[in-house]
């Protein structure tokens, strides 16, 4: 029971901090606070999704940036056509988030399905590399999309619209992103503890045992992979709306690596740890860049130290400890 | 010497404390948002831009007569970071921005600044998106429109009498723009159009294709390290002697020439300005820059210095008050100052109408490779997008 | 025809270069189970040490020695300070730590040498071209790369198949516990393999430096390609690294040489142009995905 | 040992027909024919390297056979993958324990019960809160003598307890045959004795193929014994027949026998 309590307690503390932080920062004259928090929340959404398959399924994807970029590109491209007055296969387009976002998520799910199906034929290092390969392919496709700006990326003239929520208002946008994060974490938590989740985790701990209990590994891993792709895609959608432009940058291996680093930093298989990881990683990057342009000379060794001594990331020990006995 | 010491000190301060540089911060100092790329291998360009701008500000912390504070932010060549910085600076009340070094970063920063009603004056990139239908009254480009060097190179190729050429660029937007710009003005035959991979390091395959096509010359655009690699390998393959190479200025800037060595000798480039410009303002600038920072200024440094002086002239005309945006805009648009390169005027899209030169990398008396001016190839050249720009 | 042979040579040359990088990486990977992202950094260190030494002494051989020594020493430092403690940890921690080392090294080199790329000349005895047969002159520097690549392949083959060290390396790739059980000093074995890998990177760096811009982050550009090579070849196998390197070198080079022409002949220009550029860029990743789908553990996996 | 009574119960549950497996030139299993009848414990013995582990992998579907057939409950399963064979009721234990170490004992047995049909894609329901599942899981935990240990994490169990849990995990699925790969391996005398008692209790309920080195255990438990040497079954018979057979004695039992 204590594990449940620790998760709930940590989750509530984080939520309280994320709710209050912008209000507190607004009292100071630091204008970068809200955008920084928004970035943290969006990244958190992506890395929580990644943690779902790495932490609970040992599926180390080095290509999750492809879903991040796809989510963003789908909304940006559709918005672009709508604003240009083009029709898309006879459809005049829309700017409504309620329509565009599910569409983008569907695209991510389909890509996840295809990539997952092929990649899950391999394991371990080969899985890491084949996901990377697919992400690189997506990256090169995006770079070669001349019509959508190619390497320079595509501007969005406005954010999507949503009934009764002003996405253009930074406060409303932040709290919307935060709400989505909360919902997503709760959903992931539900999955982890579900009948599906039990099997999925069993596959990580002992595939042979699970198979001899009659489990066919592929559908379970594929389902989790697709769910993870959708979550990362949602983060991409939010990112596109936050930044109001998308670039192939979103699909580089460095971005995928960043996601991996954040998950590890926060603590694998904890769902909440990666959120703390995102806050620390992005916060640190922000603080260090303000301090010196040679910030990497500090950031680098910090990552090394975390890998060497933070055996389970920042929150791994705490959130995983105290279970059974 | 006095100046050198001060400038060094200011430069060092900027390096050590990063980013917010306070030069004699008076209470009323005008804050200028200066977002540029300092980290990453391309950071040397950002350093040149920042340092030249700082040099223009001088030891008294004034741009013209107006006390200013440069709010320098490193974007790390990530548009998202730059956008973040722009948001932050806009919210803290900054109204005037400059410094961005790359088109994709500018694409992230410019709209944010425009939305806030602030001004942006570009020190380097002039992407076509903002030069045509999406031009903006508060957006000025004090350098060049992105296609200009390529168009000038096309004219140069005509003048040099090349009848068939092979053209190469990396397969991304700027690369495609480059080759299209060249083809717009070039009158001969393009026998082969080769797109290389982004971040490609080895060009042996492309060199073999060039050799077999046996053109009169090649035109190639590869920025940064790729440009150096290309020039070195081109020389090593023995092609430089038989097939002349023409490049836009930023494919071989002063720093890149050092890393390219003798392989750069004999290469032609289209340019706005070089260190060998024959006028006092230019010589003085090169001397001061070298004294202050111990290195040769690149074309980017010159552009930043001119941008600073353009802003200085406009500020002086409005007594440092940019709250009256209309007045400040009108003064900027006059371009009423003496640049180091040839004087220019602004077209309707507020991009420069200016002269371009054909230059050649040659050894000087000291055996150093310098960029000598061959001849003027374009007079009062205007970009192709100006006609699409309709200011209100 | 002559052009085709020249392009084959280019593919061979690129393959030889990739092999210098991939052989060390695959051993480290196979024997120690470590994903070492700093491998590209050793290559950069080699290029810098070589270029700076040549600038100082004017001797290419001094540069060669300095590059191999510099990269090797840095490799040993990285092994003993960081990587050694990560042998039995999950791959993720190795990725995190070595990513941190990349960031650190790049910035440290920036602070010491500066951001602007530095220059290294082609040594006189390797400048110019030789005529292989009428109509085909090939640059000596590139021929030298091919020769060095093949020599290293031969050296590694002898080392792995005909020495006690090689026996341990092979055993280690097959079964780590077994080597442990033999009572071999594993620390010594790991350090030498890691150091050897770094030295070969340094060699690749100094051999490439005359043809390339020596600059920060040059290692990361080549790192991912190197990983592609060893995954295609099969992790832990020298033979796999050689075959993978040649395959990647050929596919990349011949793709760049002929795919645009072939597609332009078959398809309307506007389609062919974009398609060719995309295909050429992604060719090695397509190759890797294809190989892994058919043979999930690569062509010559060390561990079956 | 008495001769097993010849009755309707004597039908074969699991039968191997001329199974072959070679790695290169090395024939690891060579023409193995063998059957496990309902209600019996059929022991498989043989020296190290005889091919026992490979044979089990072939039976359970982890390794494809080069030739031959595996039939289970009268159905040809040679081409079925491991998880499909498991779903048909082929239960097993592993030579080195294969368990999910992060689960609690209770969770693990619940997992086993919940996978009867190959696992569920229900993303919402928490099986731990299913009273019926818990109750049934507790029954099997009790059956193998782990009552009181149900909330302990598998990683914290003693070696013998893990073996008991493996049995519970298999039994919970009500298997039609149990393939046990050295269930006593690594156990102390006391633990072994408890395991022998436990298997003895289960005898008759579940047909078993028992691979074991502990000859005392084999002679106590088995109805029939097959001897595997260099991939071939050199003899099959009752315990007494095996004891008496000179070929077996020389090839394998030798001094170890008594």
């Amino acid at each position: 029971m204590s594990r449940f309590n620790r998760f709930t307690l940590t989750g509530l503390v984080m939520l309280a901090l994320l709710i209050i932080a912008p209000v507190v920062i607004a009292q100071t004259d630091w204008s970068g606070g809200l955008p920084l928090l928004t970035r943290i929340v969006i990244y958190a959404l992506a890395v929580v999704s990644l943690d779902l398959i790495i932490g609970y399924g040992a599926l180390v994807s080095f290509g999750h940036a492809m879903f991040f970029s796809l989510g963003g590109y789908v909304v940006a491209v559709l918005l672009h056509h709508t604003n240009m007055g083009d029709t898309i296969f006879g459809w005049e387009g829309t700017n409504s988030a309620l329509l565009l976002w599910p569409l983008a998520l569907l695209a991510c799910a389909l890509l996840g399905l295809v990539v997952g199906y092929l990649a899950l034929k391999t394991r371990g290092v080969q899985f890491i590399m084949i996901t990377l390969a697919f992400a690189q392919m997506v990256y090169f496709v995006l770079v070669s999309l001349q019509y959508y700006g190619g390497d320079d990326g595509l501007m969005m003239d406005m954010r999507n619209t949503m009934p009764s929520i002003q996405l253009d208002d930074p406060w409303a946008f932040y709290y919307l992103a935060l709400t989505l994060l909360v919902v997503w974490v709760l959903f992931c938590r539900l999955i982890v503890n579900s009948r599906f989740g039990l099997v999925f985790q069993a596959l990580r701990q002992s595939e042979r045992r699970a198979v001899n209990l009659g489990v066919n590994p592929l559908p379970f891993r594929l389902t989790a992979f697709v769910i993870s792709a959708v979550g990362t895609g949602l983060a991409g959608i939010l990112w596109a709306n936050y930044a109001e432009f998308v670039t192939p940058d979103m699909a580089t291996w460095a971005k995928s690596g960043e996601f991996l680093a954040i998950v590890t930093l926060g603590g694998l298989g904890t769902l909440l740890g990666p959120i703390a990881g995102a806050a620390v990683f992005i916060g640190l990057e922000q603080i260090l860049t303000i301090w010196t342009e040679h910030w990497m000379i500090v950031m680098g060794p910090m990552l090394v130290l975390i890998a060497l001594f933070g055996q389970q990331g920042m929150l791994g020990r705490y959130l995983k400890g105290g279970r059974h006995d | 010497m006095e100046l050198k010491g001060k400038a060094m000190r200011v430069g060092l301060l900027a390096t050590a404390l990063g980013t917010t540089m306070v030069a004699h911060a008076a209470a009323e100092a005008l804050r200028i948002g200066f977002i540029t790329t300092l980290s990453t291998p391309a950071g040397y360009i950002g350093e040149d831009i920042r340092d030249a701008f700082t040099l223009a500000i001088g030891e008294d912390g004034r741009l013209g007569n107006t006390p200013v504070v440069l709010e320098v932010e490193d974007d790390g060549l990530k548009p998202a970071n730059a956008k973040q910085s722009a948001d932050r600076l806009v919210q803290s009340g900054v109204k005037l921005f400059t410094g961005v070094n790359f088109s994709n970063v500018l694409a992230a920063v410019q709209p944010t600044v425009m939305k806030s009603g602030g001004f942006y004056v570009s020190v380097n990139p002039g992407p076509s998106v903002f030069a045509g239908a999406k031009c903006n009254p508060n957006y000025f480009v004090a350098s060049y429109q992105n296609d200009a060097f390529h168009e000038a190179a096309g004219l140069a190729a005509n003048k040099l009498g090349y009848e068939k050429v092979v053209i190469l660029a990396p397969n991304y937007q700027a690369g495609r723009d480059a080759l299209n710009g060249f083809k717009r003005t070039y009158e001969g035959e393009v026998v082969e159009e080769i797109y290389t991979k982004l971040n490609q390091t080895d060009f042996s395959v492309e060199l073999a294709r060039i050799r077999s096509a046996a053109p009169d010359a090649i035109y190639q655009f590869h920025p940064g390290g790729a440009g150096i690699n290309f020039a070195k390998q081109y020389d090593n393959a023995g092609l430089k002697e038989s097939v002349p190479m023409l490049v836009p200025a930023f494919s071989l800037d002063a720093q890149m020439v050092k890393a390219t060595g003798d392989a750069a000798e004999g290469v032609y480039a289209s340019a706005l300005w070089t260190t060998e410009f024959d006028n006092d303002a230019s010589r003085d600038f090169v001397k001061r820059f070298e004294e202050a920072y111990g290195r040769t200024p690149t074309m980017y440094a010159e552009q930043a210095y001119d941008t600073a002086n353009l802003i200085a002239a406009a500020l002086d005309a409005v007594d440092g008050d940019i709250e009256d945006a209309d007045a400040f805009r009108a003064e900027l648009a006059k371009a009423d100052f003496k640049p180091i390169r040839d004087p220019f005027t602004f077209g309707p899209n507020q991009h420069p109408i200016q002269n371009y030169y054909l230059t050649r990398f040659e050894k000087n008396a000291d055996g150093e490779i310098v960029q000598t001016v061959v001849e003027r190839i374009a007079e009062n050249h205007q970009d192709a997008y100006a006609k699409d720009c309709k200011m209100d | 025809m002559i052009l085709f042979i020249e392009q084959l040579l280019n593919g061979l040359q690129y393959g030889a270069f990739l092999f210098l990088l991939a052989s060390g990486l695959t051993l480290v990977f196979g024997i120690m189970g470590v994903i070492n992202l700093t491998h590209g950094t050793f290559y950069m260190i080699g290029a810098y040490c070589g270029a700076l030494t040549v600038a100082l002494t004017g001797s290419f051989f001094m540069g060669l020695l300095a590059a191999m020594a510099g990269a090797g020493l840095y490799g040993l430092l990285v092994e003993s300070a960081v990587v050694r403690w990560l042998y039995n940890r999950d791959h993720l921690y190795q990725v995190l730590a070595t990513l941190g080392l990349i960031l650190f090294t790049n910035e440290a080199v920036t602070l010491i040498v500066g951001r602007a790329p530095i220059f290294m000349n082609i040594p006189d005895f390797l400048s110019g071209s030789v005529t292989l047969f009428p109509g085909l002159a090939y640059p000596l520097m590139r021929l030298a790369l091919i020769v060095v690549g093949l020599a290293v392949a031969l050296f590694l083959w002898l080392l792995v198949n005909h020495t006690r060290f090689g026996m341990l390396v092979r055993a280690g790739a097959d079964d780590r516990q077994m080597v442990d059980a033999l009572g071999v000093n594993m620390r010594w074995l790991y350090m030498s393999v890691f150091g050897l890998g770094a030295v070969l990177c340094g060699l690749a760096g100094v051999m490439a430096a005359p043809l390339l811009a020596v600059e920060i982050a040059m290692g990361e550009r080549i790192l991912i390609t190197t990983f592609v090579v060893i995954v295609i070849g099969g992790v832990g196998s020298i033979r796999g690294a050689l075959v993978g390197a040649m395959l990647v070198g050929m596919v990349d080079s011949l793709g760049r040489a002929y795919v645009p022409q072939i597609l332009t002949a078959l398809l309307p220009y506007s389609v062919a142009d974009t398609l060719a550029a995309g295909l050429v860029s992604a060719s090695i990743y397509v190759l890797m995905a294809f190989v892994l789908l058919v043979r999930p553990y690569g062509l010559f996996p060390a561990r079956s | 040992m008495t001769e097993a009574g010849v009755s309707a119960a004597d039908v074969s549950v699991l039968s191997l027909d001329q199974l072959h497996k070679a790695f290169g030139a090395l024939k690891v299993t060579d023409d193995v024919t063998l059957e496990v009848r309902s209600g019996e414990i059929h022991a498989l013995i043989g020296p190290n390297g005889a091919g026992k582990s490979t044979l089990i992998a072939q039976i359970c579907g982890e390794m494809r056979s080069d030739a031959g057939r595996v039939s289970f409950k009268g159905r040809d399963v040679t081409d079925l993958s491991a998880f499909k064979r498991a779903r048909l009721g082929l239960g097993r234990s592993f030579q080195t324990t294969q368990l999910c170490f992060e689960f609690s004992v209770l969770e693990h047995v619940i997992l086993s019960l919940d996978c009867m049909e190959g696992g569920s894609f229900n993303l919402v329901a928490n099986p731990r809160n299913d009273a019926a599942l818990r109750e049934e899981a507790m029954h099997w935990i009790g059956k193998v003598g782990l009552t009181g240990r149900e909330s302990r994490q598998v990683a914290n169990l003693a070696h013998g307890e893990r073996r008991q849990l493996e049995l519970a995990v298999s039994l919970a699925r009500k298997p039609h045959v149990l393939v046990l790969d050295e269930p006593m391996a690594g156990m102390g005398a006391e633990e072994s004795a408890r395991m022998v008692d436990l298997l003895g209790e289960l005898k008759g309920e579940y047909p078993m193929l028992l691979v074991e080195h502990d000859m005392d255990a084999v002679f106590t438990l088995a109805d029939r014994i097959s001897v595997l040497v260099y991939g071939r079954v050199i003899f099959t018979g009752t315990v007494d027949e095996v004891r008496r057979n000179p070929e077996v004695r020389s090839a394998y039992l030798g001094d170890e026998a008594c």
Side-chain angles (χ1 to χ4, degrees), chain A residues 29-37 39 139-140 143-147 149-153 155-159 168 170 239 242-245 247 249 255 258 285-286 289-296, chain B residues 14-20 38-40 47 50 73-74 77-81 83-85 87-92 103-104 107-108 111 115 127 129-130 134 146 171-174 176-177 197-199:
Chain A
D29 59 352
W30 181 37
S31 54
L34 194 57
L36 178 68
L37 285 165
R39 284 210 296 169
Y139 170 74
F140 286 118
V143 168
S144 62
L145 289 177
Q146 307 291 330
Y147 187 73
D151 184 53
D152 284 349
M155 304 282 304
M156 286 170 69
D157 292 328
M158 59 177 98
R159 289 181 180 172
D168 279 330
W239 182 267
Y242 157 74
E244 294 178 35
F245 73 104
T247 58
D249 247 34
K255 180 72 75 188
E258 221 168 74
E285 186 183 73
Q286 181 80 35
T289 41
I290 289 175
W291 180 49
T292 165
E293 70 196 60
H294 299 289
W295 58 281
M296 283 196 261
Chain B
T15 317
L17 294 178
T19 43
T20 307
L38 294 169
S39 46
T40 81
E47 278 174 358
R50 179 195 63 197
E73 301 249 348
D74 174 22
L77 198 38
K78 290 182 187 163
N81 288 13
K83 155 112 182 150
Q84 171 97 0
S85 298
D87 275 336
R88 191 168 53 235
L89 291 169
V90 161
Q91 281 183 31
S92 71
S103 291
N104 56 344
K115 262 189 199 167
V129 234
F130 301 137
K134 281 189 179 175
N146 277 0
N171 179 40
Y172 69 118
Q173 198 55 41
R176 299 223 162 223
D177 288 349
K197 292 195 290 182
L198 205 56
N199 293 330

Side-chain angles (χ1 to χ4, degrees), chain C residues 10-11 26 42 99 115 144 158 167 184 202 208 219 238 244 254 282 301:
Chain C
N10 286 330
T26 204
F42 300 150
L99 185 72
R115 268 187 223 292
L158 289 173
M167 195 253 324
V184 173
I238 293 281
L254 296 182

Side-chain angles (χ1 to χ4, degrees), chain B residues 38 41 43-44 47 171 176 197 200-202 204-206 208-209 225 228-229 232-233 236 255 258-261, chain C residues 3 6-7 10 115-117 119-120 122 139 142 209-213 215-216 252-253 256-257 273 277 280-281:
Chain B
L38 294 169
Y44 77 91
E47 278 174 358
N171 179 40
R176 299 223 162 223
K197 292 195 290 182
Q200 189 172 321
T201 50
D202 188 283
S204 55
V205 169
E206 289 73 16
R209 284 174 71 182
I228 299 168
N229 296 348
K232 286 177 94 170
Q233 293 169 27
N236 175 245
Q255 292 295 327
K258 288 211 175 82
T260 310
Chain C
L3 180 63
E6 184 173 355
Q7 299 296 27
N10 286 330
R115 268 187 223 292
F119 174 71
M120 177 168 162
I122 296 176
R142 290 183 187 276
L211 292 172
L212 295 181
E215 60 179 345
I216 313 294
D252 186 81
S253 296
R256 271 152 58 204
D273 182 45
V280 165
S281 297

Side-chain angles (χ1 to χ4, degrees), chain A residues 3 187 190-199 201-217 219-220 223 227 320 323-325, chain D residues 62 82-83 86-87 92 94 98-104 107 111-112 114-115 118-128 151-152 156 166 169-170 173:
Chain A
R3 179 171 60 129
F187 177 57
L190 209 57
I191 292 175
V192 165
N193 285 328
S194 71
R195 298 175 64 187
F196 170 85
L198 199 64
V199 176
Q201 293 184 69
L203 279 169
R204 170 176 59 92
Q205 299 173 40
S206 172
E207 181 169 342
R208 289 181 79 190
R209 170 53 70 191
V211 165
N212 274 284
L213 292 178
V215 174
N216 181 7
F220 285 90
T223 305
I227 292 171
K320 282 184 163 176
R323 62 171 301 181
H324 317 303
D325 302 354
Chain D
E62 288 183 340
F83 67 87
R87 279 185 212 170
R92 74 172 290 192
F94 294 83
Q98 291 291 327
L99 288 168
C100 304
F101 285 90
E102 290 175 20
F103 288 156
S104 70
E107 274 176 325
L111 166 77
S112 183
D114 204 35
C115 288
S120 163
F121 284 87
N122 186 328
L123 298 177
V124 181
N126 188 337
R128 298 168 191 81
S151 60
R152 187 168 268 253
N156 297 332
E166 276 207 296
V169 165
S170 297
R173 300 175 48 77

